[in-house]
Structures are given as C-alpha cells and as structure tokens.
C-alpha cells in the first residue's frame, strides 16, 4: 500500500497541537512527561490509536487530510489523553472516568469516545451477514474466519449466529 504524503504544514499543525496539550498537561499535573512519537500509519476507520508501552500515537493520514482542523482539535488530544492516563494512573478503562477527567479538566477538550468523520474513503470491503433481527456487515478478516471455520459471530441484540447473506425484512414480520 502506497503511503499518503501529508503536507508539511499539516504535520507541523499536528505537532504544534500535541506540544501545546502536552505542555498544558505537564503544567497542570506538575509532571514532565516526554513528547510521544507521532506516526502516520493508522489504517482503517480508526482516526488514531495510542500505543502505551511505545509512548506512541498513530494517526490515520487519510482522515487527517480530510478533516484537518477537527482532527487536530479532537483526535490528537484524545490519543494523548490515553498516554497520559496510562502514565498517571496505570492500567484503567480506556474511556473511563480517568480518561474523561484528563480530557476535560487537564486538556480542556470535550471527552468524546468516537469521531464523527465521514469514513467512506477508508472503509474496507464488507460482507453482508444476517441474524434473526437485522443485517450486519462483517469485515474481510471476519468473513474469512467464518469461511475457514475458525470463528462464528453472534448478534449482540438477539443472540443468533450470523449467517452469510442479505437480511429479508419479511422473515421477521410478526
């Protein structure tokens, strides 16, 4: 897969945001946490991930390019908060009260667990599956696991095993 070239000004804006939020956190927490490594290799529909043990933030270059300012304002502090929570509190729930506190009280950013970016450009191929109550879309990886007999998946709503194929509304008309 060919990597996307990000404009240097955009990379600088990301770094500026990261440094400002880190400086704010270090001041308010009275600590001196180091600057995490930034990597633009996140794929799929995730905007970013925090790699705790590596003290690294991975960002999705496609979503960054498509949602520049919102990405910088929301995703960068979101992932930084995960790293800071891990250093400050240890292993806790990923979006628990510590993370929410870090986002809102320390970084001055509203705590949102997921992004609301359009993901059509980064969505991978999916396969229709059905259960007793609805249609599901399985990723290529999950579909291949079903085909090889390595996994089966169940609907969290009705508990039925997912089967390949389109959902027919008339199947459940009672």
């Amino acid at each position: 897969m060919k990597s996307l070239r990000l404009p240097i000004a955009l990379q600088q804006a990301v770094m500026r945001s990261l440094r400002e939020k880190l400086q704010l956190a270090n001041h308010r927490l009275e600590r001196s946490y180091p600057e995490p490594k930034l990597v633009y290799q996140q794929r799929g529909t995730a905007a970013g991930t925090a790699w705790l043990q590596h003290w690294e933030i991975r960002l999705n270059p496609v979503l960054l390019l498509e949602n520049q300012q919102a990405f910088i304002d929301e995703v960068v502090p979101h992932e930084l908060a995960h790293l800071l929570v891990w250093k400050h509190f240890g292993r806790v729930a990923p979006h628990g009260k510590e993370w929410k506190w870090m986002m809102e009280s320390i970084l001055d950013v509203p705590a949102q667990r997921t992004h609301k970016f359009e993901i059509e450009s980064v969505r991978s191929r999916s396969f229709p599956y059905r259960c007793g109550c609805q249609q599901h879309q399985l990723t290529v990886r999950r579909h291949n696991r079903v085909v090889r007999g390595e996994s089966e998946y169940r609907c969290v709503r009705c508990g039925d095993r997912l089967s390949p194929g389109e959902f027919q509304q008339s199947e459940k008309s009672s």
Side-chain angles (χ1 to χ4, degrees):
M1 181 176 135
K2 187 179 176 191
S3 63
L4 186 63
R5 293 184 65 113
L6 291 171
I8 191 71
L10 182 56
Q11 291 181 49
Q12 289 171 335
V14 169
M15 186 57 77
R16 191 167 37 256
S17 172
L18 176 68
R19 287 177 175 157
E20 287 171 3
K21 292 300 183 185
L22 180 60
Q23 182 180 17
L24 180 63
N26 279 335
H27 174 72
R28 289 183 174 172
L29 297 170
E30 298 178 347
R31 302 288 163 87
S32 58
Y33 294 122
E35 187 176 292
K37 180 180 178 184
L38 269 181
V39 180
Y40 298 95
Q41 294 178 341
Q42 182 67 47
R43 296 182 356 194
T45 59
T49 52
W51 290 67
L52 306 177
Q53 289 82 359
H54 295 106
W55 196 247
E56 178 178 294
I57 295 174
R58 294 189 184 175
L59 300 175
N60 187 317
V62 175
L63 292 178
L64 169 58
L65 206 51
E66 292 175 354
N67 307 278
Q68 297 181 16
Q69 196 58 52
F71 195 102
I72 289 167
D73 294 342
E74 299 165 21
V75 178
V76 172
H78 177 116
E79 300 308 334
L80 176 61
H82 284 301
L83 295 177
L84 295 170
V85 165
W86 181 67
K87 283 283 194 195
H88 201 71
F89 297 104
R91 192 163 294 283
V92 296
H95 296 108
K97 65 179 190 268
E98 298 88 354
W99 176 83
K100 186 176 181 193
W101 174 80
M102 189 68 71
M103 286 289 288
E104 294 176 347
S105 300
I106 302 301
L107 300 178
D108 292 332
V109 177
Q112 296 178 342
R113 294 182 62 211
T114 57
H115 67 77
K116 294 176 177 61
F117 304 142
E118 178 59 50
I119 58 169
E120 196 55 42
S121 63
V122 291
R123 185 185 300 268
S124 62
R125 185 166 171 229
S126 62
F127 294 83
Y129 276 69
R130 68 184 188 294
C131 65
C133 70
Q134 65 183 330
Q135 180 168 320
H136 302 265
Q137 295 295 322
L138 263 59
T139 62
V140 172
R141 178 175 288 168
R142 287 186 174 194
H143 169 71
N144 287 338
R145 287 180 181 154
V146 170
V147 169
R148 291 190 303 260
E150 297 172 357
S151 294
E152 72 173 32
Y153 298 94
R154 296 191 172 273
C155 175
V156 295
R157 186 185 294 161
C158 71
D160 285 358
R161 186 175 61 85
L162 303 185
S163 305
E166 300 287 332
F167 178 72
Q168 302 297 319
Q169 189 65 36
S170 60
E171 291 176 7
K172 225 25 179 183
S173 55
S174 52

